[in-house]
Amino acid sequence: MISVFQLNESQRQAVEWGEKSLLVLAGPGSGKTAVLTMRIANIIKNSPDENFRILGLTFTVKAAKEMKDRINMLLGNMDNRVQLRTFHAFCTDLLRQHGSHLNLKPDFSVITDEKDRIAILKELDVDNPEDILSRIDTMFTHGISVEELPKYFTPENQTECYDLQTIFNQYIQALSKENQLDFGSMLYFTRQLLETKPRIARQLRTVYKYICVDEFQDTNLAQYLILKLLAPTENANLFIVADEDQIIFQWNGADPKRLESLKSDYNIEVLQLPYNYRCQKEIVEIANKLIEHNSYRIHTKKPGIPFSDESGTVKLTSYENFDHELSGLVDEINVIPLKSRDKCLLIARSNKLLTAANKYLNEHSINAEIVSKNQDFSSPILLTMYFCLKLANAANSRSVLNKLCASATDINGLVLSAEDISAKAHVEGSSLLRAFFDTASQSEILNPVCNAGISYLCDTIQFQKFIEIYINHFDYLNTDDEKDDLFPDYKDDKENWTRIAQDIEDTYEGNVGLHVFLQEMDLTPKLKSIGKDCVRLQTVHSAKGMEFDHVFIIGLAEEQFPTYFAIRSGNKSIEEERRNCFVAITRASKSLYLSYANEYFGWHKQPSRFLKEMGLLND
DNA sequence: GGCGGGACCATTTTT
DNA sequence: TGGTCCCGCC
């Protein structure tokens, strides 16, 4: 942990920043999280008698959690004046409190499954729901209202525009009627709330005197508009941390232009954290050279400066074809001792190359695993418990019942029909969940948890008690003998469950309703445990924010990295690819192994232009 | 047996 | 944008 005394000059300036807005340009490894959290802690410590709060907004759950942990270390139990949330979690908090103005009930649930969104559109008799959904998402991420929509259509396409307007309105109505929100609508409703109820916005402004935003470059327009409603004047106290060279979510609405808007909308000062504490100097040098080729940059940003004098390694190797490249990779990894394998990261631009590399490495006795965040639980046991809770929260949802029946059927093969259970509930005038428990109790393995379910989810709501009994039951069955095969993924799922449940406990201090509990469960990514002495394989996007001693990047060839798509669609996309490459190489602290082949899957490819730009290859 | 023409393949994924 | 393979036709 860095203390105030170890800060460099620009870091200290940022930490001690008080009133007015500041934009902190923070490259890879510049210590931005330390700066952000220490500045927050400073303000709180220097105002013990005041009761304003500080709002910290992040883009990812992981970043919010990281900041929470650090703030907790710095402030201990004084941290109740600091609210650290992702944009989306902040919006749900707000909508649970004030959503009644928009006819939203406080116990709404969160849709995370694309299929459920498609299902809503199908109910509305939409022709090609996938296409319409992506249009609706574009409206959401760009904050485009129904009224503004005609601007985006040519005069001869106005019918198409009118159709989309109608469907968008119907979709919004369906969400509020079914008491469900998806990610996009959270932002949509929040903006509407703050625009139509200026009193609420004003109240928030009084409470949150300071607002910090981490990874600002990732915000889409809808999020930025919400920020502007929270801090409408140019004299606001915004503290924005951003790196324009790491915008790699453009396809999701992030845009280099956002920083320009920020600078013109606010009377903002700019400060750069120039030192790179992560990467050794050879790596910083090629990263600087590479990113210089991007033209959409704030011109005041200076190249990164390596903090350490120590020498790192940058090695480029070329191969005849992809097979040779993989074989060369095996040789390189074999040099690294087993105990350091968990400090190795293999990056590829696409999952196709990553999958092939994974297969090859494992066939050549190198432990390797593709690391990707899986959004959902995967073991039937945990899923069944989770859907029981969901059905307790959304009592009439047929789609939840369908999923519950499917997962419960997977546990032991006793077929549970959603159709029959629904009919039974109708005849008996009971809830879907009660009818489910009545039916499923015929299964020997499920019987004890069904009884618990009736007592603690139907007769009374004591969902924590239900969870406890449910998990104990399967823990008992699981330790009975070697039944790992019988309960696939149960261990990983349970670890995730207990971890998230603990986080929720910490955040809400044990005082949490079922809908909020489920919301946090839904919005928190589930991690996969990784084997011993294992090399991690990740795509560029999923590796963002991480750091490893040794990084291997394969497939540095034209039409792989940069991708074929980017090359075809022009300079704006190439610049995003360049930022992707920048993010990839700056994951490495000590050594960086780059490689390309002349042939992939039978197609001849040129070496990536980025290698030339980094000065590693001549024209 | 030699040829012309068409098919083949092409990204990332948070909230 | 590529190279290669296979099919059908002459």
Side-chain angles (χ1 to χ4, degrees):
Chain A
M1 171 118 280
I2 306 173
S3 85
V4 198
F5 308 105
Q6 293 165 297
L7 294 173
N8 67 43
E9 181 52 27
S10 44
Q11 285 177 329
R12 198 186 49 74
Q13 247 181 295
V15 166
E16 290 171 1
W17 190 263
E19 310 274 306
K20 299 276 159 64
S21 293
L22 181 70
L23 167 61
V24 180
L25 299 175
S30 57
K32 69 175 174 81
T33 311
V35 163
L36 197 50
T37 50
M38 284 172 77
R39 188 245 177 184
I40 292 175
N42 252 1
I43 294 175
I44 296 293
K45 278 183 182 162
N46 293 333
S47 61
D49 303 323
E50 296 190 55
N51 43 25
F52 65 80
R53 290 174 171 227
I54 300 180
L55 176 63
L57 294 172
T58 66
F59 195 64
T60 62
V61 177
K62 200 175 125 200
K65 165 96 175 120
E66 230 168 85
M67 281 178 60
K68 257 183 216 167
D69 290 346
R70 290 226 200 177
I71 283 287
N72 194 269
M73 270 197 270
L74 293 169
L75 284 178
N77 55 11
M78 276 171 74
D79 69 353
N80 57 355
R81 284 172 59 203
V82 185
Q83 190 67 246
L84 294 170
R85 301 295 268 160
T86 62
F87 266 99
H88 288 86
F90 172 75
C91 292
T92 54
D93 292 347
L94 210 56
L95 292 173
R96 284 196 200 286
Q97 262 191 68
H98 304 288
S100 56
H101 296 291
L102 305 171
N103 291 325
L104 296 172
K105 282 173 249 153
D107 62 344
F108 59 79
S109 57
V110 175
I111 312 181
T112 51
D113 191 344
E114 282 300 275
K115 280 179 239 133
D116 293 337
R117 307 178 67 211
I118 301 270
I120 292 174
L121 288 174
K122 280 187 179 156
E123 292 268 295
L124 297 171
D125 271 332
V126 170
D127 272 348
N128 43 357
E130 285 85 3
D131 175 57
I132 291 296
L133 195 61
S134 81
R135 285 161 184 256
I136 289 177
D137 276 336
T138 306
M139 290 178 70
F140 278 148
T141 53
H142 291 75
I144 301 167
S145 67
V146 166
E147 293 76 30
E148 292 167 319
L149 202 58
K151 277 198 298 192
Y152 299 85
F153 285 81
T154 54
E156 57 267 26
N157 284 332
Q158 288 302 315
T159 356
E160 204 184 326
C161 171
Y162 176 75
D163 288 347
L164 183 56
Q165 286 176 316
T166 314
I167 295 167
F168 184 86
N169 282 333
Q170 287 174 337
Y171 182 72
I172 289 289
Q173 276 165 22
L175 288 176
S176 83
K177 190 172 140 253
E178 287 174 35
N179 206 23
Q180 291 182 314
L181 296 185
D182 59 10
F183 291 117
S185 61
M186 289 174 197
L187 304 176
Y188 172 86
F189 282 120
T190 301
R191 183 177 162 206
Q192 220 175 39
L193 179 72
L194 295 175
E195 274 176 352
T196 55
K197 301 285 159 193
R199 274 179 95 180
I200 295 171
R202 224 176 302 138
Q203 187 206 335
L204 285 169
R205 265 172 253 148
T206 324
V207 175
Y208 296 117
K209 193 172 160 193
Y210 299 89
I211 298 177
C212 308
V213 184
D214 189 21
E215 305 253 34
F216 176 83
Q217 75 276 0
D218 288 329
T219 45
N220 58 39
L221 191 52
Q223 291 164 324
Y224 184 59
L225 292 172
I226 289 171
L227 183 68
K228 275 176 67 174
L229 286 162
L230 295 172
T233 69
E234 60 171 32
N235 295 318
N237 296 315
L238 288 180
F239 191 87
I240 307 283
V241 180
D243 184 3
E244 60 183 336
D245 297 331
Q246 293 192 65
I247 303 168
I248 57 173
F249 288 102
Q250 215 164 25
W251 43 268
N252 194 45
D255 198 298
K257 279 187 295 192
R258 201 85 57 237
L259 275 167
E260 294 298 330
S261 319
L262 183 76
K263 283 174 85 174
S264 61
D265 291 343
Y266 291 93
N267 187 6
I268 203 163
E269 291 211 36
V270 184
L271 178 74
Q272 188 181 343
L273 305 179
Y275 286 97
N276 183 331
Y277 291 83
R278 174 191 299 152
C279 313
Q280 288 173 348
K281 66 170 185 281
E282 289 78 1
I283 299 166
V284 177
E285 271 163 27
I286 60 163
N288 285 338
K289 275 192 198 162
L290 174 72
I291 207 64
E292 258 172 33
H293 288 82
N294 269 10
S295 53
Y296 290 112
R297 299 177 76 214
I298 294 181
H299 56 274
T300 50
K301 194 177 173 192
K302 294 180 281 285
I305 306 166
F307 183 76
S308 105
D309 287 337
E310 264 178 86
S311 243
T313 318
V314 174
K315 185 176 171 186
L316 171 66
T317 322
S318 69
Y319 299 93
E320 223 166 279
N321 58 41
F322 187 37
D323 270 343
H324 285 101
E325 187 179 8
L326 291 176
S327 145
L329 180 68
V330 167
D331 296 340
E332 296 282 11
I333 294 177
N334 271 328
V335 178
I336 294 168
L338 273 183
K339 65 171 171 51
S340 302
R341 294 287 168 86
D342 60 351
K343 296 186 180 71
C344 294
L345 173 68
L346 171 62
I347 298 179
R349 179 64 179 89
S350 69
N351 281 308
K352 192 180 179 185
L353 291 194
L354 217 53
T355 313
N358 185 38
K359 188 163 172 264
Y360 193 93
L361 291 178
N362 281 300
E363 281 167 1
H364 292 79
S365 44
I366 290 176
N367 285 338
E369 258 178 70
I370 295 181
V371 180
S372 58
K373 268 165 247 146
N374 32 349
Q375 185 61 57
D376 296 309
F377 295 106
S378 43
S379 80
I381 295 172
L382 253 281
L383 280 172
T384 300
M385 176 170 87
Y386 167 77
F387 287 130
C388 285
L389 295 169
K390 279 234 137 179
L391 196 54
N393 190 51
N396 301 317
S397 169
R398 260 308 292 267
S399 77
V400 175
L401 178 68
N402 290 344
K403 290 177 187 177
L404 173 58
C405 287
S407 66
T409 301
D410 283 344
I411 290 183
N412 65 348
L414 171 76
V415 177
L416 293 159
S417 144
E419 202 67 32
D420 294 352
I421 290 171
S422 171
K424 179 179 158 72
H426 190 71
V427 170
E428 294 174 359
S430 70
S431 69
L432 293 177
L433 186 59
R434 190 182 289 272
F436 168 81
F437 283 134
D438 280 345
T439 312
S441 63
Q442 292 157 22
S443 144
E444 200 185 320
I445 196 170
L446 287 174
N447 180 279
V449 298
C450 288
N451 293 333
I454 289 171
S455 310
Y456 299 116
L457 290 181
C458 298
D459 293 342
T460 61
I461 293 278
Q462 296 181 58
F463 71 96
Q464 299 281 14
K465 189 111 190 169
F466 170 73
I467 293 169
E468 192 190 318
I469 294 173
Y470 191 104
I471 288 184
N472 278 341
H473 173 63
F474 281 101
D475 274 353
Y476 174 73
L477 292 181
N478 207 22
T479 48
D480 210 12
D481 49 314
E482 289 299 309
K483 279 186 179 167
D484 263 8
D485 293 342
L486 211 63
F487 298 141
D489 300 325
Y490 176 65
K491 257 185 151 170
D492 260 12
D493 272 0
K494 205 189 95 183
E495 258 178 51
N496 273 309
W497 184 279
T498 33
R499 189 193 82 243
I500 301 169
Q502 186 59 52
D503 283 351
I504 298 173
E505 173 101 28
D506 293 346
T507 309
Y508 296 91
E509 285 156 0
N511 224 341
V512 63
L514 179 55
H515 49 282
V516 173
F517 183 88
L518 286 172
Q519 170 201 306
E520 295 286 340
M521 267 297 159
D522 286 335
L523 295 185
T524 311
K526 287 72 185 176
L527 312 166
K528 223 176 93 186
S529 70
I530 188 154
K532 205 172 171 281
D533 305 328
C534 216
V535 176
R536 301 165 68 103
L537 276 62
Q538 297 188 227
T539 57
V540 185
H541 287 81
S542 73
K544 200 180 170 201
M546 307 183 98
E547 171 181 330
F548 291 84
D549 281 358
H550 314 289
V551 171
F552 302 81
I553 307 175
I554 58 167
L556 280 161
E558 288 289 294
E559 292 165 16
Q560 293 288 340
F561 200 173
T563 61
Y564 167 79
F565 273 104
I567 293 168
R568 282 198 79 183
S569 51
N571 196 252
K572 204 178 165 204
S573 307
I574 290 291
E575 298 216 342
E576 173 125 331
E577 287 295 287
R578 197 175 281 117
R579 290 190 292 267
N580 263 301
C581 188
F582 179 81
V583 169
I585 58 181
T586 53
R587 297 313 94 202
S589 60
K590 295 195 172 80
S591 47
L592 182 60
Y593 301 84
L594 308 171
S595 64
Y596 68 91
N598 294 316
E599 194 197 297
Y600 290 90
F601 311 106
W603 300 93
H604 189 262
K605 303 285 171 190
Q606 296 295 316
S608 170
R609 66 188 73 186
F610 300 147
L611 294 169
K612 291 170 196 157
E613 294 172 358
M614 289 186 259
L616 298 172
L617 216 58
N618 299 324
D619 288 316

